[in-house]
Amino acid sequence: MKSLIRKCPPRCGAYTMRENCPQCGGLTMMALPPPRYSEKDRFQRYRLRELVSDGAEQDRN
């Protein structure tokens, strides 16, 4: 299935389904789809560790 969502990259970064941005009027581009989920994700522990450490630092501040 082809993605219909588009993003306005040059100006405001808004997401839309139109060819022109409703907020700024700029041309939109097809947005990249999210990465596929995999049970065999080799880097999951590093992303989770980073996420947890970022949360801990925000709690300290």
Side-chain angles (χ1 to χ4, degrees):
M1 184 170 149
K2 189 174 179 181
S3 175
L4 297 177
I5 194 158
R6 301 171 76 89
K7 184 176 180 183
C8 178
R11 296 182 182 167
C12 64
Y15 288 91
T16 184
M17 295 177 82
R18 300 178 183 172
E19 290 190 18
N20 293 328
C21 179
Q23 293 180 359
C24 68
L27 289 176
T28 59
M29 297 176 60
M30 296 300 276
L32 293 175
R36 292 181 182 249
Y37 174 75
S38 172
E39 290 283 334
K40 298 177 183 177
D41 186 5
R42 299 182 325 195
F43 301 103
Q44 178 182 15
R45 89 179 97 166
Y46 301 114
R47 283 197 308 274
L48 289 175
R49 187 181 304 156
E50 186 72 23
L51 183 66
V52 170
S53 68
D54 285 347
E57 289 177 14
Q58 289 177 358
D59 290 342
R60 288 184 208 150
N61 292 332

